[in-house]
Amino acid sequence: MATITFKGNEVHTQGTLPQVGDSAPDFSLTGSDLSQKTLADFSGKHVVLNIFPSVDTGTCAASVRRFNQELSELQDTVVLCISRDLPFAQGRFCAAEGLEQVLSLSEYKDASFSEAYGVKFSDGPLEGLLSRAVVVISPDGKVKYTEQVAEVTEEPNYKAALASI
């Protein structure tokens, strides 16, 4: 369990992020086109998991925009923006913003991703949603970097995440 804050109030996740050096847990998430995506679909690439509560909040939207901007400079790297938002909402947001360098994925069908990565809120007003976190996975499937953002309303450390690639 991770202890973080939401607007200064203590909240918890149901688990903890994988450790650097561990094999990244596999997952199955739904794309905005309703296709299923797994970690194996991105084999051979650096994978940045941008995990957040909802694309309909300012901080979450800002993280998607920022990773989209930063990714345009990187080779063999994909950013997966992951929330429990419906795939339609994720697709609408990215289309309206013209964001083509990130891939939005939803956990709306089952909780296996949040259980494997330890990011589901277990209490507080966001209970059941995903916490704000970043995980970077190497092309060989190893966890290279993790950040459980300490205050949900703040953005992740983009520079540290991208420097790990």
Side-chain angles (χ1 to χ4, degrees):
M1 171 175 65
T3 301
I4 54 180
T5 58
F6 174 61
K7 298 183 178 181
N9 298 305
E10 192 173 280
V11 293
H12 305 92
T13 63
Q14 291 181 343
T16 58
L17 293 172
Q19 296 293 309
V20 171
D22 287 353
S23 292
D26 198 10
F27 55 77
S28 180
L29 295 164
T30 305
S32 57
D33 63 355
L34 301 181
S35 66
Q36 290 303 118
K37 298 291 184 187
T38 67
L39 182 56
D41 292 327
F42 307 102
S43 179
K45 295 184 177 192
H46 286 93
V47 178
V48 178
L49 306 179
N50 176 30
I51 307 160
F52 50 85
S54 175
V55 75
D56 286 326
T57 67
T59 306
C60 299
S63 73
V64 174
R65 288 184 200 105
R66 178 76 179 267
F67 274 120
N68 183 77
Q69 174 188 352
E70 299 285 347
L71 181 64
S72 64
E73 307 282 325
L74 301 175
Q75 297 292 321
D76 298 320
T77 302
V78 61
V79 175
L80 308 180
C81 295
I82 303 168
S83 70
R84 296 205 81 196
D85 291 306
L86 290 175
F88 313 110
Q90 293 172 333
R92 181 183 66 244
F93 173 80
C94 287
E97 296 279 331
L99 305 178
E100 299 176 352
Q101 302 299 319
V102 295
L103 180 61
S104 293
L105 297 174
S106 174
E107 189 195 54
Y108 85 101
K109 284 187 177 181
D110 70 65
S112 61
F113 172 82
S114 59
E115 290 170 6
Y117 283 83
V119 293
K120 186 187 291 185
F121 284 112
S122 60
D123 58 17
L126 301 178
E127 183 176 355
L129 296 179
L130 309 184
S131 65
R132 185 174 319 288
V134 176
V135 176
V136 178
I137 302 167
S138 67
D140 66 353
K142 300 289 185 189
V143 176
K144 290 182 68 175
Y145 171 86
T146 65
E147 178 189 10
Q148 174 64 71
V149 179
E151 167 56 54
V152 179
T153 61
E154 295 178 2
E155 293 181 56
N157 185 338
Y158 302 105
K159 287 185 181 188
L162 295 172
S164 73
I165 297 174

